[in-house]
Amino acid sequence: MSTDTSRLEGGSAPGTAGSIPDTRERSRTLTPPKWLGKAGEPLVTVGEIFRLGFRVFGMAIRQPYGYWADTRDQCYSALKLCWFPMAVATFAFGFGAPGLSGGAIFHIFGIPSRLGSFFQFASIREFAPFIDGMVVAGVVGTAVTADLGARKIREELDAMEVLGVDPIRALIIPRVLAITFMTAIFDVMALIMGLISGYLAAGPVFGADLPAYTASLYDLLNVPDVIGSLAKAACFGLVIGVVSCYMGLNVKGGSIGVGRAVNQSVVIAFAGVWIVNFVFTSMLLGLSPSLYVFK
């Protein structure tokens, strides 16, 4: 009598009802496609950026000491890097876009002196904090990403962890706080340069008087817009600081990876500034309907 070898070995013949399924085939069929993983990478990056931001905020609140000296040094470094580009960018943009373009429209209606009230909308509410965020992201944010990325590829961050020093507390918190504070301070410079450029466009170019320009500005100037401009700039700085630090901490690929991280940090920071600007302005106008009034 012949013996079925498959049964003697404890298995079943292929194709029978009692055959054991091939788990390797099932794992291959359940593997998600590569494009799905690529599509989810931006969401993972955004989640990790939020996670770093919450971690920095929590550590800064729970132990608010030990990092203020480094924060002061980082503020001074940001001031040295950014004050001149900020002044030039805000003056040139204010003189060119709302100044000449808005002044030409007001000149057609014979009211160039009303350009001051237009600058309350254009500069204080929108252009000053927006250009402020763009310049800080392009100058200070890239410097922070490059510095942390260089430390990462030199394994300085790993050495700090071996020595018992938390890189988040020692390096990240001072930089995030410094960028947040200095972006709000730079907004004051942006407001001043924007209003000066508006007067130069209204006066020498379109013949408006300084008292009339100033009076029209104060007719519409209000506290919610000024506080909102400073708060919006601080939110921009917080986004830029967290994004720049995250990209610097996650550099891969040596020196080439540092350059790639710098480019990515600028793009992500710009996108974050645009989103925050839209949400913040919508909330400000929704909570203060009187800001819609043009006097």
Side-chain angles (χ1 to χ4, degrees):
M1 182 182 295
S2 61
T3 305
D4 192 345
T5 57
S6 61
R7 293 181 180 178
L8 291 176
E9 293 174 358
S12 299
T16 61
S19 60
I20 300 175
D22 191 350
T23 56
R24 291 174 297 179
E25 289 295 333
R26 291 186 58 189
S27 64
R28 280 195 289 267
T29 58
L30 295 177
T31 301
K34 292 183 178 180
W35 64 266
L36 185 60
K38 292 293 184 180
E41 287 182 0
L43 298 178
V44 174
T45 301
V46 172
E48 291 178 349
I49 291 174
F50 273 98
R51 180 183 179 184
L52 177 62
F54 287 129
R55 183 179 179 186
V56 169
F57 182 78
M59 294 179 67
I61 294 298
R62 288 196 303 267
Q63 297 177 340
Y65 53 84
Y67 49 77
W68 293 109
D70 294 332
T71 303
R72 178 198 60 208
D73 297 337
Q74 293 297 323
C75 289
Y76 180 67
S77 299
L79 181 63
K80 290 192 299 181
L81 287 173
C82 213
W83 75 268
F84 184 72
M86 183 68 64
V88 173
T90 51
F91 180 85
F93 191 88
F95 183 80
L100 296 180
S101 300
I105 297 174
F106 278 73
H107 184 70
I108 293 175
F109 294 99
I111 51 173
S113 61
R114 300 299 300 172
L115 191 61
S117 58
F118 175 71
F119 259 80
Q120 199 280 334
F121 281 113
S123 183
I124 296 178
R125 186 178 299 174
E126 288 297 329
F127 289 142
F130 186 77
I131 300 302
D132 178 20
M134 296 292 101
V135 174
V136 171
V139 178
V140 182
T142 54
V144 168
T145 302
D147 176 52
L148 294 176
R151 294 172 183 265
K152 177 69 174 181
I153 63 174
R154 292 197 302 262
E155 299 182 353
E156 292 184 13
L157 303 182
D158 296 334
M160 293 177 65
E161 293 179 352
V162 170
L163 294 174
V165 179
D166 188 358
I168 302 297
R169 184 171 181 83
L171 299 177
I172 306 304
I173 292 180
R175 284 162 172 78
V176 172
L177 291 179
I179 294 177
T180 303
F181 293 156
M182 293 307 299
T183 307
I185 293 174
F186 283 138
D187 184 58
V188 178
M189 178 188 296
L191 294 176
I192 295 174
M193 298 304 296
L195 296 178
I196 292 175
S197 64
Y199 167 69
L200 292 179
V205 177
F206 297 105
D209 295 332
L210 177 59
Y213 173 83
T214 306
S216 65
L217 172 65
Y218 281 107
D219 285 342
L220 204 62
L221 187 63
N222 53 74
V223 175
D225 265 330
V226 176
I227 297 178
S229 179
L230 296 176
K232 184 192 294 186
C235 293
F236 290 167
L238 180 61
V239 171
I240 295 167
V242 174
V243 169
S244 302
C245 292
Y246 171 80
M247 299 307 298
L249 289 176
N250 292 273
V251 167
K252 298 178 182 179
S255 57
I256 298 178
V258 175
R260 189 182 302 113
V262 169
N263 294 333
Q264 292 175 351
S265 69
V266 172
V267 174
I268 297 175
F270 280 8
V273 167
W274 298 335
I275 294 172
V276 171
N277 182 62
F278 173 76
V279 174
F280 192 96
T281 302
S282 300
M283 293 178 59
L284 180 64
L285 296 177
L287 294 175
S288 301
S290 61
L291 300 180
Y292 285 100
V293 179
F294 184 81
K295 301 177 182 179

